Each structure stands twice: as C-alpha cells, then as structure tokens.
C-alpha cells in the first residue's frame, strides 16, 4: 500500500494500483525512506551524502595554515586535484585483485587511510587534520567541534541513531538500516517549504530498544513541525507509538493485501 499505491500515485499524480486516491494534494512533498542499498561508491560517506562535509571544508579553509598555503575550500575535498592522495585517489584504500578470491581493499601506505595528500593534512584545526576528523564518529565529532552549525547538523545524525558511524566511513559498508536513517537525517537537514508526508519501510531495522525510543522522539519532532509520518512496521514498541493503525492481512505475501482494520 505504501510503496505501490501511495508513493507511486504521488509520483504519477494520479491513482496507481487503486481505483481512486484522495488526500495526497494536502502535501507539498512525499518522501519514501526505504531499505534500498545506500550506495556502492566508496567515495560516498555520511558527511558527503548529508552535505555536512561543506561545513568541515569551510572550517579547515579558515585555518591559518590553510590561508598561508593559499588553499581554498574546494581543496579540502578528497576528490579534488589539490586535496586527494594521488596514490589511492582519495579512497584511503587500494584494491588488490586476488586470482581465486574476491578483490580486497588494503589501507593506503601513503596517506594511511586519511584520503588526503600531505600538503592538506598539515593544515590543522584543534590539532587535528581533516583526515583525522573524518575518522571520528559522529558522537566524537560533536564533542570535538563543540558548538556552531556543524554541531547542530551532527546532532541530527546522532538523534536518528547513526552516532556510531565514522564521518568518512565508506558508504558501501553501511547496513540497510543505517543507510535508511542517513536518508532521514538528510531530509531533516534540508530547508523546505510546506508540509511533507514521510513514508518509511521498517524503520526499526537494526535498532536497539532504546534507539527505537529515540527514533520515536525524532518522529514526534517531525509531526510537531507539521509533517506526517506513515510507516510499515512489525516492532510492537514502534507500532504502539502510532495514533492510527492499519492492519493488512489476513496473512502474509499474497494473503496480506486486504485492509483488516
């Protein structure tokens, strides 16, 4: 119902897989936060996906060492010509092909996994290079930066349950649940006008009980902001937090397509 009826009807702006549909016109945006693979790109990380990397680059470009060397904000990207480690091209690791096994990635000996060249790594903020900052977890980075817009942004990541992730962790190493919560954080970081309908597919996946309670708090903040949350779920704690419950059944699979209540 959520994926094949509501979301597809929103995309097509007409009833899809149903006779008629009403009420979607009250939303300015409908967002599907699904369980699809986050990315297969090793260069994509939590901070590049969410856009927080821009704040980090700005901070480092304003350091005295960066100014003295003439480095610009763009140079603090590990994908830029002036920023990346030339040995690993900003990956932090090098791929080694194995004859009878899958390829393996080994830490780059030149940058020691920090992704950047030496000229960029000598630029320090609070005695840490940008490469060292990207090796911090979200929670560690909140303490490190202490205040400002970047802490506000990182706090959103922490609130949705990905505070344990490294800022520069390769996107292809994230679980489906971690990727889903990063998508949620990204949507919360964006400034948008009007009201939105959030559609979630099993948002409790991979979460501890106390993380689920935190997620409920996040959902409530979305609702308090005037938006609506609709989710597919089997976790009883999350189900009990809903103010409306729709049960599909009477069974699963092909038998699960009837609205029971």
């Amino acid at each position: 119902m959520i994926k094949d009826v509501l979301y597809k009807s929103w995309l097509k702006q007409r009833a899809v897989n149903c006779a008629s549909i009403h009420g979607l016109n009250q939303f300015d945006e409908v967002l599907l936060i699904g369980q699809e693979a986050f990315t297969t790109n090793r260069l994509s990380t939590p901070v590049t996906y969410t856009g927080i990397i821009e704040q980090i680059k700005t901070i480092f470009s304003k350091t005295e060492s960066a100014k003295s060397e003439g480095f610009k904000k763009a140079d603090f990207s590990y994908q830029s010509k002036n920023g990346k480690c030339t040995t690993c091209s900003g990956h932090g690791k090098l791929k080694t092909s194995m004859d009878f096994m899958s390829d393996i990635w080994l830490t780059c000996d030149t940058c020691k996994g920090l992704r950047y060249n030496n000229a960029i790594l000598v630029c320090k903020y609070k005695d840490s290079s940008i490469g060292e900052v990207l090796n911090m977890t979200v929670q560690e980075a909140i303490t490190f930066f202490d205040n400002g817009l970047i802490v506000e942004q990182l706090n959103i990541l922490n609130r949705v349950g990905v505070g344990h992730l490294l800022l520069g962790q390769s996107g292809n190493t994230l679980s489906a649940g971690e990727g889903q919560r990063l998508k949620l954080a990204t949507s919360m970081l964006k400034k948008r006008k009007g009201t939105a309908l959030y559609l979630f597919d099993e948002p409790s996946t991979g979460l501890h009980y106390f993380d689920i309670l935190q997620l409920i708090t996040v959902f409530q903040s979305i609702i308090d902001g005037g938006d609506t949350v609709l989710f597919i779920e089997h976790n009883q704690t999350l189900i009990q937090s809903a103010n409306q419950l729709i049960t599909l059944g009477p069974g699963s699979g092909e038998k699960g397509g009837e609205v029971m209540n």
Side-chain angles (χ1 to χ4, degrees):
M1 183 182 71
I2 285 181
K3 293 181 178 179
D4 294 332
V5 177
L6 291 180
Y7 190 60
K8 287 186 178 179
S9 294
W10 165 261
L11 292 178
K12 297 291 185 180
Q13 291 296 296
R14 60 177 175 80
V16 177
N17 295 322
C18 62
S20 62
I21 191 164
H22 307 280
L24 285 178
N25 58 353
Q26 67 184 297
F27 301 107
D28 296 287
E29 190 171 7
V30 176
L31 305 167
L32 177 62
I33 315 292
Q35 292 269 3
E36 294 78 14
F38 178 63
T39 181
T40 57
N41 186 354
R42 298 189 65 89
L43 292 173
S44 180
T45 66
V47 289
T48 59
Y49 184 80
T50 58
I52 295 175
I53 188 65
E54 296 304 315
Q55 285 295 321
I56 298 174
K57 287 158 57 179
T58 297
I59 289 171
F60 276 90
S61 67
K62 292 181 178 180
T63 59
E64 290 302 320
S65 52
K67 291 178 180 178
S68 65
E69 294 296 330
F71 289 132
K72 306 298 182 183
K73 177 181 174 180
D75 296 325
F76 286 90
S77 167
Y78 54 76
Q79 298 184 55
S80 70
K81 178 181 178 181
N82 293 333
K84 66 183 177 182
C85 168
T86 55
T87 302
C88 64
S89 297
H91 286 85
K93 294 179 180 292
L94 292 170
K95 183 170 71 172
T96 300
S97 299
M98 308 295 285
D99 290 337
F100 304 105
M101 299 173 60
S102 299
D103 295 338
I104 59 173
W105 288 79
L106 300 175
T107 301
C108 174
D109 287 333
T110 303
C111 68
K112 309 302 180 186
L114 298 182
R115 296 180 181 263
Y116 293 88
N117 59 46
N118 286 333
I120 292 294
L121 291 175
V122 298
C123 300
K124 300 291 182 74
Y125 175 77
K126 292 185 177 180
D127 296 326
S128 293
S129 69
I130 189 170
E132 291 169 327
V133 167
L134 293 188
N135 273 342
M136 295 179 183
T137 66
V138 170
Q139 292 172 338
E140 289 170 343
I142 290 171
T143 302
F144 175 78
F145 287 109
D146 189 43
N147 57 57
L149 176 60
I150 189 170
V151 172
E152 294 177 15
Q153 294 175 329
L154 291 170
N155 272 326
I156 291 177
L157 270 65
N158 197 36
R159 284 171 57 203
V160 302
V162 290
H164 61 285
L165 294 181
L166 300 179
L167 300 188
Q169 186 169 335
S170 295
N172 65 332
T173 66
L174 304 183
S175 69
E178 289 168 339
Q180 183 184 51
R181 290 187 287 281
L182 267 183
K183 294 173 188 175
L184 169 60
T186 303
S187 70
M188 293 174 66
L189 285 166
K190 290 180 179 177
K191 294 181 180 180
R192 56 169 52 89
K193 296 180 180 179
T195 58
L197 170 62
Y198 286 80
L199 305 175
F200 289 89
D201 179 11
E202 300 277 1
S204 70
T205 301
L207 290 182
H208 185 275
Y209 172 73
F210 293 106
D211 293 325
I212 291 173
L213 296 182
Q214 181 63 39
L215 183 62
I216 292 172
T217 301
V218 172
F219 282 174
Q220 189 60 55
S221 70
I222 292 173
I223 295 165
D224 292 342
D227 296 325
T228 301
V229 174
L230 182 61
F231 53 80
I232 307 167
E233 191 53 76
H234 293 87
N235 181 277
Q236 287 302 311
T237 301
L238 205 50
I239 289 173
Q240 290 168 9
S241 72
N243 67 334
Q244 295 289 335
L245 179 62
I246 300 170
T247 304
L248 297 179
S252 60
E254 294 180 354
K255 298 179 180 179
E258 300 293 329
V259 176
M260 303 296 291
N261 59 52

